[in-house]
Amino acid sequence: MITDTGTIDLTGLTTATALEQIKLADGTNNLKVNAADADKIGTNFNILGGTSTDTVTVSGELVQDGDLDGLRGIEVVILDGTTDSSADTLNLANDVVASNETITINATSKQFEWTFDGSAETDGKYIILGSTSGDTITGGAGADRIAGGAGADKMTGGAGADTFEFKTTAETSGSSASADTTIKFDAITDFNGISDKIKLGTGVSEFGTLTFTNTTSANVTIISSVANNATLGGLLTNAETASAGVASTSAIAQILVFTVDAAAGAFANKTIMIVNDNNASWTVGDRLIDITNFTSTVSAANFEFDLV
């Protein structure tokens, strides 16, 4: 048992294979380990958290499936990617998060694509913070919070009432351009209009010169079919023809949900959500989210505005 609290640096540890268990003392702890030793957590030894908030910081790229499966009672995992040189993957077992408990997985410093799979989780909850690149993130059966961050992220909430968070326009539309012939913006693969939420940022001028507030409401327009086009710009022009854009205000966010017809092309049969800025027309500068395969419907009740 480690009796000291505070920051405990084990990145220089060379005897990890001889350990059976690391138990943190009660209090706020930050345990640092090397990613090269992460595969031993769960196979050679466990890390057990105490009371208060315990953080495990993992430096470097993870090695294999099952890394970190030996964590128990840990509230925060920080994946330090400042020295990464390639993409990274983390899959977690069900037992990592106890029933009705929450763990935060923070990959915001990772500089390459990151894949997280928490689908084994049956009774706990995740807060997942993605990297600066295009991530693939899968939650568990609980009410998870997922923020993909910058890049074209693919997010799957899983069962439960999940919340997908987007602070800025760049976190949804990313590097999208009018000439794009494929989708280069965020996707939610299993959005459930009955239970899931989309939480939008209230930072200053996040939508052109517009700032939403925690009293902003949503007005949702749904179009069943929009003519396909070879480019994203052409597709949004067709959406404008089908339903003329209305500028959002700080009081009302104007949101369009439309399904592309089945004509050949990368956008065929896709369902796209647009959150408009302070300019009336639907453009690549708005927030774009692919919600193909969503269930139920999308309404004002699915949107929240209190993310800073």
Side-chain angles (χ1 to χ4, degrees):
M1 177 174 178
I2 296 176
T3 57
D4 292 337
T5 59
T7 298
I8 305 148
D9 192 339
L10 298 183
T11 54
L13 187 67
T14 59
T15 59
T17 54
L19 296 174
E20 292 182 358
Q21 185 181 96
I22 295 174
K23 185 175 182 181
L24 301 178
D26 292 343
T28 300
N29 299 291
N30 183 5
L31 178 67
K32 297 182 178 181
V33 298
N34 278 321
D37 292 317
D39 62 317
K40 301 180 181 70
I41 302 172
T43 54
N44 292 47
F45 64 94
N46 292 337
I47 296 178
L48 308 182
T51 61
S52 299
T53 300
D54 295 307
T55 299
V56 172
T57 299
V58 182
S59 299
E61 298 165 23
L62 294 169
V63 178
Q64 61 188 16
D65 188 17
D67 287 357
L68 306 184
D69 276 355
L71 298 179
R72 299 291 186 273
I74 301 299
E75 285 74 34
V76 180
V77 175
I78 297 174
L79 302 177
D80 182 358
T82 54
T83 62
D84 286 3
S85 59
S86 62
D88 204 357
T89 297
L90 173 61
N91 304 330
L92 287 182
N94 176 50
D95 291 340
V96 171
V97 190
S99 178
N100 296 317
E101 296 298 322
T102 301
I103 189 170
T104 296
I105 310 296
N106 185 337
T108 54
S109 74
K110 286 200 167 290
Q111 303 169 64
F112 297 89
E113 290 84 358
W114 177 63
T115 298
F116 174 79
D117 188 349
S119 60
E121 183 56 50
T122 62
D123 51 13
K125 294 178 284 187
Y126 287 114
I127 299 173
I128 308 165
L129 308 177
S131 77
T132 58
S133 298
D135 303 319
T136 300
I137 298 173
T138 303
D144 303 318
R145 288 173 49 199
I146 301 176
D153 304 303
K154 181 180 180 181
M155 296 167 283
T156 302
D162 303 306
T163 300
F164 301 91
E165 301 182 349
F166 305 94
K167 282 187 178 182
T168 68
T169 300
E171 289 187 6
T172 55
S173 54
S175 59
S176 293
S178 294
D180 288 348
T181 57
T182 59
I183 287 180
K184 297 181 180 179
F185 45 87
D186 280 2
I188 302 172
T189 69
D190 64 342
F191 188 77
N192 187 327
I194 296 175
S195 57
D196 290 346
K197 302 285 187 182
I198 290 177
K199 184 174 287 191
L200 297 173
T202 53
V204 175
S205 299
E206 290 296 357
F207 290 82
T209 59
L210 183 65
T211 301
F212 291 144
T213 73
N214 59 9
T215 62
T216 300
S217 61
N219 180 62
V220 180
T221 300
I222 298 178
I223 301 296
S224 59
S225 181
V226 166
N228 202 350
N229 193 280
T231 68
L232 179 59
L235 179 64
L236 296 181
T237 297
N238 292 346
E240 180 73 19
T241 300
S243 179
V246 177
S248 293
T249 67
S250 59
I252 302 176
Q254 299 292 341
I255 296 164
L256 177 68
V257 176
F258 66 89
T259 300
V260 185
D261 67 25
F267 306 113
N269 298 312
K270 295 292 186 181
T271 300
I272 296 174
M273 176 188 296
I274 309 177
V275 183
N276 213 352
D277 59 16
N278 56 304
N279 297 308
S281 299
W282 309 111
T283 71
V284 294
D286 298 324
R287 293 191 187 187
L288 307 173
I289 306 171
D290 176 2
I291 60 167
T292 304
N293 298 322
F294 78 101
T295 56
S296 186
T297 189
V298 179
S299 70
N302 294 119
F303 294 88
E304 297 177 345
F305 301 85
D306 60 0
L307 184 66
V308 294

